[in-house]
DNA sequence: TGCTTGACAAGAACTATTCTAATGTGATAT
DNA sequence: ATATCACATTAGAATAGTTCTTGTCAAGCA
């Protein structure tokens, strides 16, 4: 795929498969989910390859590493500025494409140079609120 | 200490030491930091006790489990609604006691019942921006 | 007194991630 | 087209953080 060329990493079949799986993916998959899926096509795939690729992509700003799930890292191929709505029961994550104008008041900034922000909304998704 | 009685868990010397360490602590300590500190007073202290106590406290809403640091859990004894400013280099976390009026627009809510939110601000703290 | 419940310590087990060493391979220059 | 080399890949070991298990004990209660 031509569109992946500009990322600036060496393209390999494994990496293309990972990129294809991520492209347009709205499920914020974990390394394990990526591995499970991609290793269907590449049964010899190693976990290290998944992590290496994800790290390389994150470094270049092509994906975001989410620190939302206490148990594992999750990755988001959508690098536009956006926020998340998380079901505290099933851990499903939905995107919230709204821009919030947020600034840290000087008194709390403590000399920090603020570079970004992320809003996590918590709630219960319809599916979970139904079953009990 | 009387003030701990109302938490509703059985108070033991180990738990009192953990509670004392957390009380007013603004450093958002990890389990490991709590263990290191409390085991000075109770050298036989086990990690399991730390985790059990933290879990019990979190369940009862007496502390918050922060999912901000990708490498470890961090705990916040301040359960008032507040937000955080995180140094992406040294992982220091400062509190931001500002109330933001945030609502998820209906189109993104997808039927979620939203129960709360948390804003993470990212930046570089003064100490880190100095040393290169 | 005996029962029940919950807390504890110690360490094993587990999970997610990172590292290592050996081998393989895509991209470029030849 | 081929050789080369830096970078990718693999398998498995290593690590870090967290959770689980087992046996023990103390406190509260019938």
């Amino acid at each position: 795929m031509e569109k992946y060329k500009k990322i600036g990493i060496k393209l390999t079949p494994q990496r293309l498969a990972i990129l294809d799986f991520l492209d347009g993916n709205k499920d914020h998959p974990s390394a394990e989910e990526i591995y499970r899926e991609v290793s269907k096509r590449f049964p010899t795939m190693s976990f290290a390859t998944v992590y290496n690729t994800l790290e390389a992509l994150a470094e270049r700003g092509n994906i975001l590493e989410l620190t939302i799930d206490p148990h594992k890292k999750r990755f988001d191929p959508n690098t536009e500025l956006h926020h998340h709505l998380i079901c505290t029961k099933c851990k499903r994550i939905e995107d919230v494409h709204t821009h919030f104008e947020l600034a840290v008041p000087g008194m709390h900034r403590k000399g920090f140079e603020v570079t970004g922000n992320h809003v996590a909304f918590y709630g219960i998704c319809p599916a979970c609120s139904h079953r009990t």
Side-chain angles (χ1 to χ4, degrees), chain A:
Chain A
M1 290 302 217
E2 290 307 303
K3 63 179 167 178
Y4 296 139
K5 285 262 179 78
K6 62 174 179 301
I7 293 175
I9 56 174
K10 195 183 285 187
L11 290 179
T12 65
Q14 293 89 334
R15 288 183 169 185
L16 282 172
I18 292 172
L19 286 163
D20 273 342
F21 177 65
L22 287 176
D23 192 37
N25 190 312
K26 292 259 184 285
D27 292 338
H28 313 82
S30 65
E32 205 264 334
E33 286 162 331
I34 295 165
Y35 174 78
R36 262 213 317 272
E37 192 59 30
V38 175
S39 61
K40 286 180 190 166
R41 278 210 270 155
F42 293 90
T44 71
M45 159 80 67
S46 155
F47 249 107
T49 300
V50 176
Y51 280 108
N52 284 340
T53 304
L54 291 172
E55 191 191 344
L57 291 173
E59 265 175 17
R60 289 165 180 73
N62 292 91
I63 59 171
L64 298 175
E65 185 183 310
L66 304 181
T67 58
I68 279 177
D69 190 322
H71 295 300
K72 50 178 74 136
K73 290 182 178 180
R74 298 236 201 166
F75 298 89
D76 193 340
N78 178 2
T79 58
E80 280 172 51
L81 180 61
H82 68 288
H83 305 285
H84 294 103
L85 173 52
I86 303 137
C87 176
T88 51
K89 283 233 195 301
C90 70
K91 311 303 176 200
R92 194 152 66 89
I93 301 174
E94 293 285 348
D95 290 342
V96 177
H97 284 282
T98 304
H99 179 66
F100 299 103
E101 202 56 64
L102 302 175
V104 183
M107 62 174 296
H108 291 124
R109 197 151 63 244
K110 308 256 177 78
F112 267 71
E113 178 192 345
V114 179
T115 56
N117 66 65
H118 173 258
V119 184
F121 291 95
Y122 297 99
I124 309 288
C125 75
C128 286
S129 70
H130 286 155
R131 52 174 132 73
T132 317

